[in-house]
PDB file of all heavy atoms in Angstrom:
ATOM      1  N   ASP A  36      13.109 125.153 -10.594  1.00  0.00           N
ATOM      2  CA  ASP A  36      13.854 123.894 -10.775  1.00  0.00           C
ATOM      3  C   ASP A  36      13.155 122.685 -10.141  1.00  0.00           C
ATOM      4  O   ASP A  36      13.713 121.593 -10.128  1.00  0.00           O
ATOM      5  CB  ASP A  36      15.278 124.025 -10.207  1.00  0.00           C
ATOM      6  CG  ASP A  36      15.291 124.217  -8.698  1.00  0.00           C
ATOM      7  OD1 ASP A  36      14.200 124.345  -8.099  1.00  0.00           O
ATOM      8  OD2 ASP A  36      16.397 124.243  -8.116  1.00  0.00           O
ATOM      9  N   HIS A  37      11.942 122.868  -9.631  1.00  0.00           N
ATOM     10  CA  HIS A  37      11.333 121.751  -8.888  1.00  0.00           C
ATOM     11  C   HIS A  37      11.082 120.538  -9.781  1.00  0.00           C
ATOM     12  O   HIS A  37      11.361 119.404  -9.367  1.00  0.00           O
ATOM     13  CB  HIS A  37      10.041 122.196  -8.193  1.00  0.00           C
ATOM     14  CG  HIS A  37       9.522 121.183  -7.220  1.00  0.00           C
ATOM     15  ND1 HIS A  37      10.300 120.682  -6.195  1.00  0.00           N
ATOM     16  CD2 HIS A  37       8.322 120.536  -7.126  1.00  0.00           C
ATOM     17  CE1 HIS A  37       9.597 119.784  -5.513  1.00  0.00           C
ATOM     18  NE2 HIS A  37       8.397 119.681  -6.058  1.00  0.00           N
ATOM     19  N   GLY A  38      10.578 120.778 -10.990  1.00  0.00           N
ATOM     20  CA  GLY A  38      10.327 119.663 -11.909  1.00  0.00           C
ATOM     21  C   GLY A  38      11.610 118.938 -12.276  1.00  0.00           C
ATOM     22  O   GLY A  38      11.682 117.710 -12.220  1.00  0.00           O
ATOM     23  N   SER A  39      12.649 119.703 -12.615  1.00  0.00           N
ATOM     24  CA  SER A  39      13.898 119.051 -13.017  1.00  0.00           C
ATOM     25  C   SER A  39      14.582 118.388 -11.820  1.00  0.00           C
ATOM     26  O   SER A  39      15.181 117.317 -11.964  1.00  0.00           O
ATOM     27  CB  SER A  39      14.839 120.036 -13.716  1.00  0.00           C
ATOM     28  OG  SER A  39      14.908 121.240 -13.015  1.00  0.00           O
ATOM     29  N   ASN A  40      14.470 118.979 -10.630  1.00  0.00           N
ATOM     30  CA  ASN A  40      15.022 118.328  -9.431  1.00  0.00           C
ATOM     31  C   ASN A  40      14.409 116.944  -9.230  1.00  0.00           C
ATOM     32  O   ASN A  40      15.118 115.952  -9.027  1.00  0.00           O
ATOM     33  CB  ASN A  40      14.721 119.163  -8.176  1.00  0.00           C
ATOM     34  CG  ASN A  40      15.664 120.341  -8.013  1.00  0.00           C
ATOM     35  OD1 ASN A  40      16.728 120.378  -8.619  1.00  0.00           O
ATOM     36  ND2 ASN A  40      15.277 121.301  -7.195  1.00  0.00           N
ATOM     37  N   LEU A  41      13.077 116.889  -9.283  1.00  0.00           N
ATOM     38  CA  LEU A  41      12.408 115.608  -9.016  1.00  0.00           C
ATOM     39  C   LEU A  41      12.577 114.621 -10.160  1.00  0.00           C
ATOM     40  O   LEU A  41      12.645 113.408  -9.937  1.00  0.00           O
ATOM     41  CB  LEU A  41      10.926 115.832  -8.713  1.00  0.00           C
ATOM     42  CG  LEU A  41      10.634 116.553  -7.401  1.00  0.00           C
ATOM     43  CD1 LEU A  41       9.141 116.530  -7.102  1.00  0.00           C
ATOM     44  CD2 LEU A  41      11.409 115.950  -6.221  1.00  0.00           C
ATOM     45  N   GLN A  42      12.672 115.142 -11.376  1.00  0.00           N
ATOM     46  CA  GLN A  42      12.915 114.268 -12.524  1.00  0.00           C
ATOM     47  C   GLN A  42      14.254 113.554 -12.347  1.00  0.00           C
ATOM     48  O   GLN A  42      14.354 112.339 -12.497  1.00  0.00           O
ATOM     49  CB  GLN A  42      12.968 115.115 -13.790  1.00  0.00           C
ATOM     50  CG  GLN A  42      12.047 114.649 -14.872  1.00  0.00           C
ATOM     51  CD  GLN A  42      12.059 115.594 -16.062  1.00  0.00           C
ATOM     52  OE1 GLN A  42      12.477 116.748 -15.962  1.00  0.00           O
ATOM     53  NE2 GLN A  42      11.596 115.112 -17.181  1.00  0.00           N
ATOM     54  N   ARG A  43      15.290 114.328 -12.020  1.00  0.00           N
ATOM     55  CA  ARG A  43      16.612 113.742 -11.806  1.00  0.00           C
ATOM     56  C   ARG A  43      16.539 112.710 -10.678  1.00  0.00           C
ATOM     57  O   ARG A  43      17.044 111.600 -10.796  1.00  0.00           O
ATOM     58  CB  ARG A  43      17.618 114.857 -11.458  1.00  0.00           C
ATOM     59  CG  ARG A  43      19.027 114.358 -11.306  1.00  0.00           C
ATOM     60  CD  ARG A  43      20.045 115.499 -11.044  1.00  0.00           C
ATOM     61  NE  ARG A  43      19.553 116.823 -11.385  1.00  0.00           N
ATOM     62  CZ  ARG A  43      19.213 117.759 -10.491  1.00  0.00           C
ATOM     63  NH1 ARG A  43      19.338 117.521  -9.201  1.00  0.00           N
ATOM     64  NH2 ARG A  43      18.772 118.933 -10.878  1.00  0.00           N
ATOM     65  N   GLY A  44      15.878 113.089  -9.577  1.00  0.00           N
ATOM     66  CA  GLY A  44      15.815 112.221  -8.399  1.00  0.00           C
ATOM     67  C   GLY A  44      15.080 110.916  -8.663  1.00  0.00           C
ATOM     68  O   GLY A  44      15.592 109.834  -8.355  1.00  0.00           O
ATOM     69  N   PHE A  45      13.899 111.007  -9.252  1.00  0.00           N
ATOM     70  CA  PHE A  45      13.104 109.781  -9.416  1.00  0.00           C
ATOM     71  C   PHE A  45      13.593 108.912 -10.567  1.00  0.00           C
ATOM     72  O   PHE A  45      13.369 107.695 -10.556  1.00  0.00           O
ATOM     73  CB  PHE A  45      11.606 110.108  -9.501  1.00  0.00           C
ATOM     74  CG  PHE A  45      11.012 110.297  -8.121  1.00  0.00           C
ATOM     75  CD1 PHE A  45      10.874 111.558  -7.569  1.00  0.00           C
ATOM     76  CD2 PHE A  45      10.644 109.196  -7.349  1.00  0.00           C
ATOM     77  CE1 PHE A  45      10.365 111.736  -6.286  1.00  0.00           C
ATOM     78  CE2 PHE A  45      10.131 109.351  -6.065  1.00  0.00           C
ATOM     79  CZ  PHE A  45       9.991 110.629  -5.533  1.00  0.00           C
ATOM     80  N   THR A  46      14.270 109.511 -11.541  1.00  0.00           N
ATOM     81  CA  THR A  46      14.926 108.688 -12.566  1.00  0.00           C
ATOM     82  C   THR A  46      16.007 107.837 -11.894  1.00  0.00           C
ATOM     83  O   THR A  46      16.128 106.628 -12.158  1.00  0.00           O
ATOM     84  CB  THR A  46      15.561 109.584 -13.654  1.00  0.00           C
ATOM     85  OG1 THR A  46      14.526 110.354 -14.257  1.00  0.00           O
ATOM     86  CG2 THR A  46      16.249 108.763 -14.731  1.00  0.00           C
ATOM     87  N   ALA A  47      16.766 108.463 -11.002  1.00  0.00           N
ATOM     88  CA  ALA A  47      17.814 107.736 -10.277  1.00  0.00           C
ATOM     89  C   ALA A  47      17.212 106.683  -9.345  1.00  0.00           C
ATOM     90  O   ALA A  47      17.779 105.599  -9.162  1.00  0.00           O
ATOM     91  CB  ALA A  47      18.677 108.723  -9.484  1.00  0.00           C
ATOM     92  N   VAL A  48      16.055 106.989  -8.766  1.00  0.00           N
ATOM     93  CA  VAL A  48      15.384 106.033  -7.870  1.00  0.00           C
ATOM     94  C   VAL A  48      14.977 104.775  -8.640  1.00  0.00           C
ATOM     95  O   VAL A  48      15.264 103.650  -8.213  1.00  0.00           O
ATOM     96  CB  VAL A  48      14.142 106.677  -7.198  1.00  0.00           C
ATOM     97  CG1 VAL A  48      13.227 105.617  -6.583  1.00  0.00           C
ATOM     98  CG2 VAL A  48      14.583 107.671  -6.113  1.00  0.00           C
ATOM     99  N   THR A  49      14.336 104.941  -9.801  1.00  0.00           N
ATOM    100  CA  THR A  49      13.906 103.746 -10.550  1.00  0.00           C
ATOM    101  C   THR A  49      15.117 102.934 -10.997  1.00  0.00           C
ATOM    102  O   THR A  49      15.089 101.712 -10.961  1.00  0.00           O
ATOM    103  CB  THR A  49      13.019 104.090 -11.776  1.00  0.00           C
ATOM    104  OG1 THR A  49      13.482 105.302 -12.349  1.00  0.00           O
ATOM    105  CG2 THR A  49      11.583 104.271 -11.412  1.00  0.00           C
TER     106      THR A  49
END
Side-chain angles (χ1 to χ4, degrees):
D36 65 355
H37 191 55
S39 46
N40 281 342
L41 292 189
Q42 233 175 341
R43 184 176 343 108
F45 278 96
T46 300
V48 164
T49 36

